[in-house]
């Protein structure tokens, strides 16, 4: 490999595995002794977005933005055309939604001002509709050692097999052999974090798993890639195929296929034995109690819902859930509305019997998820009441999400404001994917015009349900 050492970490798969095994055994003891510290309910978010030039083409300048702005919460992502905003963690009560909204806008507005002054545009978009294949080159990987190292180890574990993306849409198909993981930088998500009392964590995880399908349908915003009309949320298939490996290794982007029983330790145990080591950073001096290798391995296994092991200010371990399903955009206010729905409906089902997991089989979770990825609001989902259209199901869930926010103690006016955005989206049957499809149908597949109008609408902060096709 080209990189042998990063800071105090040696690149060594065998030593990494040895350290990972020791930490995983200690983690097993932590689970048995219930060592995790959290009694509160908190939330936060990560928002990925793209950098475009003045002509709405991807622009590889994330380093320019982070250096100029020097904001700790603004970080470079895997591709040079991509940035991410990380929000603080807020208690899930009272004015949580407006705090989350304002924390994002505070950074987003500075990024937009920088873009305006440097003749750039920014795009909150699930996937770039058109992309020059030159952008798939390793030259467009963000030049940080961890990204370069991961690209090298993905190639190593694929044993000479090229990366491949093959997606069959309803009308068109796409076949790509991208040179590198730089293509990952052309898809963007909204990631929501949830911290709950630890004795409820497994229950919440299972609830979020089964809610992922309708949530995905609600937020879909990536119907095109490389000029092809593919899935309602094409980002799902792109990301999963990038991290697929020859047998017997498991792919590292997937939806956890089964309900988790008892504790989430089984997930961390599986991380040890069944997946490639894509960042085998073997620590020289890290204490086993810091779980460096456990956290490093978990960070490279991108379950659409995954537990995150972290430490609080008192250096006590705790766990939270990262929900990675939602697409970025189309506006900041749309994303906060998505967050309101997510937190509300999750809390409702986690705290009201009967448990959905007793009514919906784990096989249906997987089927529903990929049905939603393909067809969005038109998807037909298996639910407790039988087969139901995703848009109809979401309308039925809306008052339950409202009740969940009420029970959390979220400000009533704020809850109604953001959930009304969801209601309007469902009443008008227009999320980001549907708007893009309808716009291109009206404007004869003019992708440049699509991006120009999309960016104008996005900057206006008008919810996507109200976007016109003119």
């Amino acid at each position: 490999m080209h990189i042998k050492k990063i800071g105090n970490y040696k690149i060594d798969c065998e030593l990494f595995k040895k350290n990972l095994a020791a930490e995983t055994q200690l983690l097993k003891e932590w689970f048995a002794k219930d060592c995790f510290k959290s009694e509160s309910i908190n939330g936060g978010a990560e928002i990925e977005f793209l950098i475009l030039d003045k002509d709405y083409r991807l622009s590889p300048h994330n380093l320019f933005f982070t250096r100029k702005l020097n904001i700790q919460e603004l970080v470079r992502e895997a591709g040079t055309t991509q940035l991410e905003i990380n929000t603080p963690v807020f208690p899930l009560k009272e004015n949580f939604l407006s705090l989350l909204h304002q924390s994002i806008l505070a950074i987003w507005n500075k990024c937009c001002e920088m873009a305006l002054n440097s003749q750039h545009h920014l795009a909150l978009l699930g996937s770039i509709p058109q992309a020059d294949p030159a952008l798939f080159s390793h030259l467009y990987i963000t030049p940080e050692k961890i990204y370069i190292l991961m690209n090298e180890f993905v190639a190593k574990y694929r044993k000479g097999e090229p990366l491949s993306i093959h997606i069959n849409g309803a009308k068109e198909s796409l076949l790509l052999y991208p040179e590198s993981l730089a293509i990952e930088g052309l898809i963007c998500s909204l990631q929501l974090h949830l911290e709950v009392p630890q004795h409820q964590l497994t229950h919440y995880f299972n609830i979020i798993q089964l809610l992922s399908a309708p949530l995905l349908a609600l937020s879909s915003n990536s119907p095109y890639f490389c000029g092809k009309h593919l899935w309602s949320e094409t980002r799902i298939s792109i990301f999963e195929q990038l991290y697929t490996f020859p047998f017997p290794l498991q792919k590292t982007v997937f939806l956890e296929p089964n309900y988790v029983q008892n504790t989430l330790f089984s997930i961390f145990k599986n991380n040890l034995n069944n997946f490639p080591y894509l960042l085998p950073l073997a620590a020289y001096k890290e204490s086993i109690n810091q779980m460096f290798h456990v956290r490093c391995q978990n960070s490279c296994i991108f379950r659409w819902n995954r537990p995150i092991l972290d430490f609080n200010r008192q250096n006590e371990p705790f766990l939270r859930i990262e929900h990675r399903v939602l697409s970025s955009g189309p506006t900041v206010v749309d994303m906060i509305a998505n967050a309101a729905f997510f937190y509300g409906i999750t809390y409702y089902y986690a705290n009201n019997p009967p448990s959905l997991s007793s009514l919906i089989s784990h096989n249906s979770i997987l089927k529903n998820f990929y049905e939603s990825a393909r067809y969005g609001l038109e998807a037909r989902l298996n639910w407790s009441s039988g087969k139901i259209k995703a848009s109809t199901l979401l309308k039925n869930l809306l008052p339950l999400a409202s009740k969940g926010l009420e029970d959390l103690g979220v400000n009533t006016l704020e809850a109604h404001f953001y959930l009304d955005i969801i209601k309007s989206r469902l009443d008008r049957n227009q999320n980001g994917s549907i708007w893009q499809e309808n716009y291109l149908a009206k404007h004869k597949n003019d992708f440049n015009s699509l991006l120009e109008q999309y960016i104008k609408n996005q900057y206006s902060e008008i919810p996507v349900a109200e976007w016109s096709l003119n």
Side-chain angles (χ1 to χ4, degrees):
M1 309 306 290
H2 297 106
I3 299 174
K4 301 295 183 183
K5 187 174 181 291
I6 296 179
N8 292 323
Y9 308 109
K10 180 182 179 183
I11 312 305
D12 185 325
C13 286
E14 289 304 313
L15 182 56
F16 179 84
K17 183 177 182 179
K18 178 182 177 182
N19 292 345
L20 177 61
E23 290 178 3
T24 303
Q25 180 59 39
L26 177 59
L27 187 64
K28 181 180 180 181
E29 296 174 16
W30 287 6
F31 272 96
K33 296 176 181 177
D34 195 21
C35 290
F36 303 103
K37 308 294 182 181
S38 181
E39 296 303 324
S40 57
I41 301 181
N42 301 309
E46 302 171 43
I47 303 96
E48 296 170 340
F49 58 96
L50 299 173
I51 307 168
L52 311 179
D53 66 18
K54 62 182 177 62
D55 298 314
Y56 302 96
R57 296 171 302 197
L58 286 163
S59 178
H61 288 106
N62 61 5
L63 180 59
F64 169 78
F65 275 80
T66 53
R67 281 182 173 174
K68 287 288 186 180
L69 290 168
N70 193 27
I71 298 172
Q72 183 179 358
E73 295 82 7
L74 181 70
V75 298
R76 294 186 289 165
E77 271 295 319
T80 55
T81 63
Q82 190 180 51
L83 289 164
E84 179 181 89
I85 294 170
N86 294 310
T87 77
V89 172
F90 300 107
L92 252 168
K93 60 182 180 179
E94 299 169 349
N95 60 339
F96 167 81
L97 294 170
S98 60
L99 284 174
L100 186 65
H101 195 169
Q102 292 307 314
S103 71
I104 295 169
L105 282 180
I107 300 172
W108 173 248
N109 288 340
K110 290 178 182 178
C111 292
C112 289
E113 183 179 0
M114 174 65 70
L116 178 65
N117 293 336
S118 60
Q119 294 191 306
H120 285 94
H121 294 288
L122 304 178
L124 295 163
L125 192 61
S127 65
I128 192 72
Q130 273 193 316
D132 183 344
L135 290 163
F136 305 159
S137 161
H138 70 278
L139 297 174
Y140 289 90
I141 295 175
T142 294
E144 293 185 6
K145 287 185 176 180
I146 60 167
Y147 295 128
I148 296 169
L149 185 67
M150 185 174 285
N151 189 67
E152 291 179 0
F153 269 90
V154 165
K156 171 183 179 288
Y157 283 111
R158 290 184 65 84
K159 299 178 179 178
E161 287 188 18
L163 291 172
S164 63
I165 305 291
H166 187 196
I167 306 172
N168 289 318
K171 296 180 180 179
E172 295 185 280
S173 297
L174 176 68
L175 179 60
L176 292 176
Y177 295 98
E179 179 183 326
S180 75
L181 293 180
I183 192 173
E184 181 185 336
L186 310 186
I187 56 176
C188 298
S189 65
L190 163 65
Q191 298 159 31
L192 297 176
H193 290 249
L194 178 62
E195 180 185 346
V196 298
Q198 298 299 306
H199 69 278
Q200 293 183 292
L201 196 68
T202 300
H203 180 51
Y204 269 88
F205 185 86
N206 288 334
I207 292 295
I208 291 171
Q209 283 278 102
L210 61 87
L211 288 171
S212 290
L215 288 161
L216 178 60
L218 178 69
S219 72
S220 292
N221 194 29
S222 58
Y224 297 91
F225 196 71
C226 289
K228 300 291 187 180
H229 188 186
L230 301 165
W231 292 7
S232 181
E233 189 56 28
T234 304
R235 173 181 61 95
I236 299 296
S237 187
I238 294 171
F239 200 27
E240 289 197 357
Q241 292 187 56
L242 276 180
Y243 288 91
T244 298
F245 302 94
F247 182 83
L249 293 175
Q250 293 187 21
K251 64 182 181 181
T252 56
V253 182
F254 61 99
L255 189 74
E256 189 67 28
N258 299 307
Y259 287 122
V260 178
Q261 305 296 324
N262 301 320
T263 76
L264 296 178
F265 175 72
S266 60
I267 289 178
F268 292 97
K269 182 180 178 181
N270 287 341
N271 289 355
L272 171 64
N273 296 314
N274 300 322
F275 299 96
Y277 304 134
L278 301 182
L279 277 181
L281 303 176
Y284 295 121
K285 301 177 181 179
E286 296 279 354
S287 165
I288 190 173
N289 290 319
Q290 293 305 306
M291 293 287 168
F292 172 82
H293 303 86
V294 162
R295 290 189 289 159
C296 187
Q297 176 69 348
N298 193 56
S299 73
C300 300
I301 301 174
F302 305 98
R303 292 171 175 87
W304 291 114
N305 299 298
R306 68 178 174 185
I308 302 291
L309 172 63
D310 209 342
F311 293 85
N312 62 22
R313 292 179 180 177
Q314 292 74 43
N315 205 32
E316 298 169 322
F318 73 95
L319 294 161
R320 67 179 185 271
I321 300 167
E322 182 182 57
H323 179 62
R324 307 175 55 83
V325 166
L326 306 181
S327 194
S328 185
T331 64
V332 174
V333 74
D334 275 304
M335 291 190 293
I336 302 302
N338 291 342
F341 188 88
F342 166 77
Y343 289 117
I345 195 62
T346 299
Y347 188 81
Y348 176 85
Y349 274 122
N351 292 278
N352 286 277
S355 173
L356 272 183
S357 57
S358 68
L359 302 174
I360 301 173
S361 72
H362 60 77
N363 288 334
S364 289
I365 291 178
L366 286 175
K367 291 177 182 177
N368 286 348
F369 184 74
Y370 293 103
E371 179 79 3
S372 285
R374 287 182 173 91
Y375 303 111
L377 291 176
E378 296 298 314
R380 303 283 296 178
L381 306 180
N382 296 315
W383 207 248
S384 57
S385 55
K387 206 85 166 178
I388 187 170
K389 189 176 176 182
S391 58
T392 303
L393 173 60
L394 285 159
K395 289 177 182 178
N396 294 343
L397 297 181
L398 198 54
L400 305 184
S402 179
K403 182 64 167 61
L405 292 177
E406 178 186 339
D407 292 343
L408 275 165
V410 171
N411 180 281
T412 302
L413 291 177
E414 289 188 10
H416 286 169
F417 173 79
Y418 292 109
L419 290 184
D420 279 349
I421 291 172
I422 300 297
K423 182 178 186 302
S424 181
R425 193 187 306 170
L426 296 172
D427 288 344
R428 300 182 187 188
N429 196 45
Q430 182 162 284
N431 60 15
S433 284
I434 293 171
W435 181 85
Q436 290 183 56
E437 292 164 354
N438 291 340
Y439 187 91
L440 286 180
K442 181 175 180 178
H443 295 272
K444 299 178 181 178
N445 279 355
D446 186 341
F447 284 93
N448 288 335
S449 174
L450 169 74
L451 279 174
E452 181 178 2
Q453 190 58 48
Y454 184 101
I455 299 299
K456 286 180 180 178
N457 291 341
Q458 169 198 273
Y459 287 157
S460 74
E461 267 290 271
I462 297 172
V464 69
E466 300 175 29
W467 290 11
S468 76
L469 300 177
N470 297 322

